[in-house]
Amino acid sequence: ASGGDDDYTTIKYDPADGNELWVATYDGPSGGSDQAYAVTVDSFGNVYVTGRSKGAAGNYDYTTIKYDAADGNELNVARYNGPGSDSDHAYAIVTDIAGDVYVTGYSIGSGTNNDYTTIKYSSFASGCAYEITGDINSDCKVDFSDLALLVERWLDCNLDPPEACWQ
């Protein structure tokens, strides 16, 4: 951490033997304090981390980072500075079967106090120019491989309980 402030540090371990596979560190644009609060993994093994990071103006912003599953390379960083341009804190993150990413926490509004704020990032996981309904494997097209993946997940889940199948 430059200046001795906190940074996000994300470590991936080998599930078989516990050995470290990769380490990724994020130091936000101000070089100030950055604190990760939640992590999730998508169906491809990509890692998403969210929390708060000091922006250039000195206030915290939601900061969500996507790391490549294989080597921990940073694929995308999304920052959210709420309408009050004040402190914004992300505390939870989840991905759905379509590869969408949902981040929630609170944001200081314009003339309000702590407001619950939930953001959906559609193109975060896919990298496509626009959202494509039915593109389950995020290759920017709908084809037989999407259908095969849908059937495979359905058979794995067996829809019992149905809520567990779409997490």
Side-chain angles (χ1 to χ4, degrees):
S2 61
D5 287 321
D6 301 327
D7 292 330
Y8 288 23
T9 299
T10 306
I11 305 170
K12 181 176 180 180
Y13 296 99
D14 186 320
D17 58 20
N19 288 329
E20 182 180 290
L21 297 175
W22 53 258
V23 176
T25 303
Y26 176 78
D27 186 16
S30 74
S33 182
D34 310 295
Q35 298 162 345
Y37 290 112
V39 63
T40 192
V41 178
D42 68 16
S43 60
F44 300 103
N46 297 310
V47 178
Y48 300 81
V49 181
T50 197
R52 66 184 192 174
S53 172
K54 283 243 175 141
N59 293 317
Y60 286 108
D61 297 327
Y62 278 31
T63 304
T64 304
I65 305 166
K66 177 183 179 182
Y67 295 107
D68 181 81
D71 54 21
N73 284 333
E74 187 179 284
L75 298 176
N76 199 338
V77 176
R79 296 182 65 87
Y80 171 76
N81 182 17
S85 290
D86 207 321
S87 284
D88 308 302
H89 302 249
Y91 287 110
I93 188 169
V94 67
T95 58
D96 65 16
I97 194 168
D100 299 323
V101 178
Y102 300 85
V103 177
T104 194
Y106 76 86
S107 175
I108 305 284
S110 181
T112 62
N113 216 348
N114 297 340
D115 300 325
Y116 292 109
T117 305
T118 300
I119 300 171
K120 175 184 177 183
Y121 297 107
S122 293
S123 62
F124 209 104
S126 70
C128 302
Y130 51 88
E131 185 174 355
I132 302 172
T133 303
D135 181 20
I136 296 171
N137 64 357
S138 301
D139 63 356
C140 302
K141 62 185 176 190
V142 178
D143 58 12
F144 182 74
S145 58
D146 294 300
L147 178 60
L149 189 55
L150 177 66
V151 170
E152 176 186 358
R153 288 181 181 166
W154 183 83
L155 290 172
D156 286 346
C157 275
N158 200 19
L159 299 178
D160 186 18
E163 303 84 41
C165 295
W166 309 113
Q167 296 180 6

